Amino acid sequence: MDKNIDKENIVIYGAGAYGEIAYYCLQKKKINPKCFVDRKFVGEKKFGLNIFEPEYIKCAKDDFYVIAVGQSYSEVLAFLKKS
């Protein structure tokens, strides 16, 4: 991981199966993401972390995002290009 990335500001985009994999990979590196972003699971929690709607990205410009999605990657990519 880039040493310039603030490990306190990591957000996982995707709270499904790929998000879980990303979470466990980060945990192995002793990195605790601060939340998830996922339109399907808004308002829920996973691993004790809040899950926010994708619009959260517009408010949190200093965050570093780990994109962890499967079939919806083109939709996520289009959203990120607009944000």
Side-chain angles (χ1 to χ4, degrees):
M1 177 166 274
D2 186 330
K3 293 181 194 245
N4 295 322
I5 294 171
D6 183 354
K7 293 180 183 178
E8 302 293 317
N9 288 334
I10 295 181
V11 174
I12 299 173
Y13 194 121
Y18 292 110
E20 287 188 34
I21 292 167
Y23 176 83
Y24 286 120
C25 289
L26 290 168
Q27 288 288 295
K28 284 193 174 254
K29 294 287 189 179
K30 309 267 190 270
I31 298 170
N32 296 310
K34 71 180 199 178
C35 65
F36 287 90
V37 169
D38 193 307
R39 65 180 172 79
K40 283 186 184 177
F41 304 104
V42 174
E44 297 180 28
K45 286 189 178 239
K46 186 166 241 175
F47 307 111
L49 301 175
N50 291 321
I51 303 173
F52 296 109
E53 62 188 352
E55 285 71 22
Y56 170 88
I57 291 172
K58 295 175 184 174
C59 303
K61 297 288 186 183
D62 293 333
D63 289 346
F64 176 79
Y65 292 87
V66 174
I67 309 303
V69 298
Q71 294 179 2
S72 62
Y73 71 90
S74 58
E75 178 184 328
V76 171
L77 181 60
F79 175 78
L80 291 172
K81 284 181 177 180
K82 287 192 300 187
S83 296

